[in-house]
Amino acid sequence: MDSIYIYGGNYLRGETRIQGSKNAVLPILAASLLIRGTCVIKNCPRIADVYHMQNLLQELGCLVSWAGNTVTVNAFHVNDNRMNGESVTRMRSSVMLLGAMLGRLGEVTMAYPGGCVIGRRPIDIHLKALRKMGVEIEEQEQMFTAKAKELEGADLELPFPSVGATENVILASVTAKGTTVLRNAAKEPEIEALCGFLKEAGADIENKADGSLVIQGVEELHEAKYTVPADRIVAGTYLAAVLAAGGSVFLENAPAKQLEAMLAVAEEMGGCVTVNEEGIGIDVIHRLRAVPYLKTEVYPGFPTDLQSPLMAGLAVAQGQSLIEESIFENRFRIVGDLQRMGADIEIVKNKAYINGVDVLKGTEVEAEELRGGAALVVAGLAAEGKSIVKNRHFIERGYENICKDLRNLGADIGLG
Ligand code: UD1
């Protein structure tokens, strides 16, 4: 059965360790394509999206192996420049291979990438930036071919600091001819991780005080080792779980600096947060307060990926909360299921008005995408009785073992 069951109502107590970051490891794996040799990437989460990226790399000719949570990629032979439809459309992050393949082979034909059903998710910003670097793009119905005789550094300014477009420009420019200046680049921690890996491999990337990136193309990258940082979104999901269900939890390895916006919200709600070098502690003893206004924003603002998990917590907080979603237009898909669990939420365009209720009731709900699915698990932890979250494969795209982690914290949860 592709589901998770939860008997809600337990306080969460104890410690759990946070896995490596999905959104950091995916572009790093794509970047390994640029290196004619072997890269060793430690602390890789064993999640469906990483396995999917592994398959894509193997289809292109790379050798990929696992030992524990360490992935070794040998990209000595990359011989195929076509990426078939299904493998690309299943995961949005396949689009990372665009910049990497251009850097490696100068040409790629791929389907338009897929991903979570959380909005339109076009790639116009990626393509426009790459065109300025000398890339010609021929668009067909479902596919496109991108090719460049020679990638050239360019002076670029993104109209919006898209995470994926920033990553693609970085991947295309590290071995391009000349210097690329990327203004209005995304500042998400996963960009820093990608640059960290590429610098280990010999790339010349500089962060300017004004937030732009200056990338001096190098002749060739060399083999590298890198440890993937902890996943801020998984840590934030578990913080939301404690806000929803109550308890006293320590999240080992959780990156507090990257979670400042989430921690500020937790404190505003009345949670008690402690931070030290080993991770984040949170205590929630009383029923929490609503958050009068919260807007999702690019980093370091409140992350859109934590909006749904937090909403599950706000559904049982005291008072009215308002969340404005400014990044993805379709990120309120869990509201119907939360309402069926007894939540009082009204959606008006991109705003959710949440009137906290005393208690949610366990019921059968259906994950439709990754973070929304995790949010339904959070709601199930706070609900009375049994919840069943169907389609757990969506959750497994990003959470290595959400049931085990939450069982470590005393939740009554398992695979159904
Ligand atoms: C990445 C993350 C995702 C996160 C998002 C925002 C990965 C694998 N995924 O997604 O978890 O929610 O950042 O922090 O790292 N846009 C355009 N045209 C483009 C590109 C983007 O209009 O060419 C729009 C999107 O539709 C969206 C917004 O820009 O509304 C943000 O997208 P972007 O920052 O690119 O997110 P992703 O890289 O897809």
Side-chain angles (χ1 to χ4, degrees):
M1 284 274 288
D2 180 24
S3 58
I4 291 175
Y5 74 81
I6 308 135
Y7 288 94
N10 289 3
Y11 280 118
L12 302 177
R13 287 183 207 286
E15 285 187 29
T16 199
R17 189 178 165 80
I18 301 302
Q19 69 182 60
S21 162
K22 169 178 97 69
N23 288 355
V25 74
L26 292 171
I28 288 171
L29 286 170
S32 65
L33 261 182
L34 290 166
I35 296 158
R36 284 181 177 75
T38 301
C39 290
V40 179
I41 303 158
K42 295 185 181 167
N43 200 32
C44 288
R46 285 184 167 271
I47 52 176
D49 275 14
V50 169
Y51 293 133
H52 189 63
M53 182 60 88
Q54 170 182 358
N55 290 338
L56 289 168
L57 291 175
Q58 285 169 333
E59 280 172 25
L60 293 167
C62 301
L63 302 174
V64 185
S65 61
W66 285 84
N69 282 89
T70 299
V71 170
T72 301
V73 182
N74 181 317
F76 201 83
H77 298 289
V78 176
N79 29 39
D80 201 348
N81 62 19
R82 283 188 73 83
M83 298 176 55
N84 82 55
E86 211 256 333
S87 57
V88 177
T89 48
R90 270 182 48 203
M91 184 176 74
R92 166 82 181 172
S93 319
S94 321
V95 78
M96 299 295 78
L97 293 168
L98 170 58
M101 285 293 282
L102 283 167
R104 179 62 191 263
L105 294 182
E107 178 169 347
V108 62
T109 296
M110 67 197 298
Y112 287 99
C116 285
V117 283
I118 56 174
R120 289 176 302 113
R121 307 193 88 169
I123 56 165
D124 53 313
I125 300 174
H126 304 230
L127 299 184
K128 194 170 170 205
L130 292 172
R131 279 189 174 110
K132 287 201 172 145
M133 296 182 69
V135 178
E136 285 174 22
I137 292 152
E138 277 170 37
E139 305 194 43
Q140 298 115 45
E141 209 166 297
Q142 304 288 335
M143 312 272 290
F144 66 95
T145 298
K147 56 179 145 182
K149 280 202 190 75
E150 186 170 46
L151 282 170
E152 282 166 22
D155 199 329
L156 306 169
E157 175 154 8
L158 300 182
F160 173 85
S162 154
V163 174
T166 300
E167 290 167 345
N168 257 331
V169 169
I170 293 170
L171 290 165
S173 61
V174 280
T175 53
K177 187 177 157 211
T179 307
T180 298
V181 179
L182 183 60
R183 299 171 213 280
N184 201 27
K187 296 185 184 63
E188 269 65 6
E190 294 75 29
I191 303 290
E192 201 184 312
L194 173 62
C195 292
F197 170 74
L198 286 165
K199 284 185 198 171
E200 284 294 316
D204 182 349
I205 307 172
E206 204 186 330
N207 285 299
K208 291 287 184 191
D210 65 358
S212 59
L213 293 171
V214 177
I215 303 153
Q216 185 70 52
V218 296
E219 197 64 26
E220 192 151 20
L221 298 176
H222 54 72
E223 298 184 338
K225 286 192 178 134
Y226 192 74
T227 301
V228 176
D231 195 310
R232 64 189 172 108
I233 305 301
V234 171
T237 305
Y238 297 166
L239 288 170
V242 183
L243 295 174
S248 178
V249 161
F250 186 75
L251 301 175
E252 192 189 338
N253 210 27
K257 182 84 193 69
Q258 300 176 4
L259 279 163
E260 277 177 359
M262 177 68 186
L263 295 179
V265 169
E267 286 186 327
E268 189 182 350
M269 291 174 73
C272 176
V273 174
T274 48
V275 168
N276 65 31
E277 277 180 7
E278 271 89 54
I280 300 174
I282 181 159
D283 291 289
V284 172
I285 296 149
H286 306 291
R287 186 172 173 205
L288 295 183
R289 296 185 288 273
V291 176
Y293 178 69
L294 174 75
K295 184 180 178 185
T296 59
E297 281 168 300
V298 297
Y299 189 82
F302 191 88
T304 177
D305 286 356
L306 288 177
Q307 184 259 103
S308 294
L310 180 69
M311 182 188 275
L314 293 175
V316 288
Q318 205 159 19
Q320 189 184 68
S321 302
L322 166 55
I323 300 181
E324 181 173 347
E325 172 58 61
S326 78
I327 309 290
F328 288 112
E329 69 271 22
N330 214 355
R331 251 203 164 139
F332 289 140
R333 291 171 73 99
I334 60 160
V335 169
D337 273 336
L338 290 179
Q339 285 166 336
R340 291 198 306 108
M341 294 176 82
D344 178 355
I345 302 173
E346 193 191 347
I347 302 295
V348 182
K349 294 189 179 152
N350 67 336
K351 295 194 177 78
Y353 296 85
I354 306 153
N355 290 303
V357 293
D358 290 340
V359 72
L360 295 176
K361 289 184 196 59
T363 184
E364 191 170 294
V365 291
E366 207 163 310
E368 292 184 60
E369 40 93 8
L370 167 59
R371 304 301 172 190
L376 292 173
V377 171
V378 170
L381 294 169
E384 270 178 358
K386 184 177 183 181
S387 296
I388 295 178
V389 181
K390 289 166 53 178
N391 292 341
R392 80 162 186 260
H393 63 272
F394 283 117
I395 300 169
E396 289 168 350
R397 286 190 42 206
Y399 295 80
E400 197 163 38
N401 202 333
I402 197 169
C403 292
K404 185 168 158 233
D405 288 349
L406 291 168
R407 266 200 309 273
N408 283 344
L409 301 177
D412 189 347
I413 180 170
L415 304 181

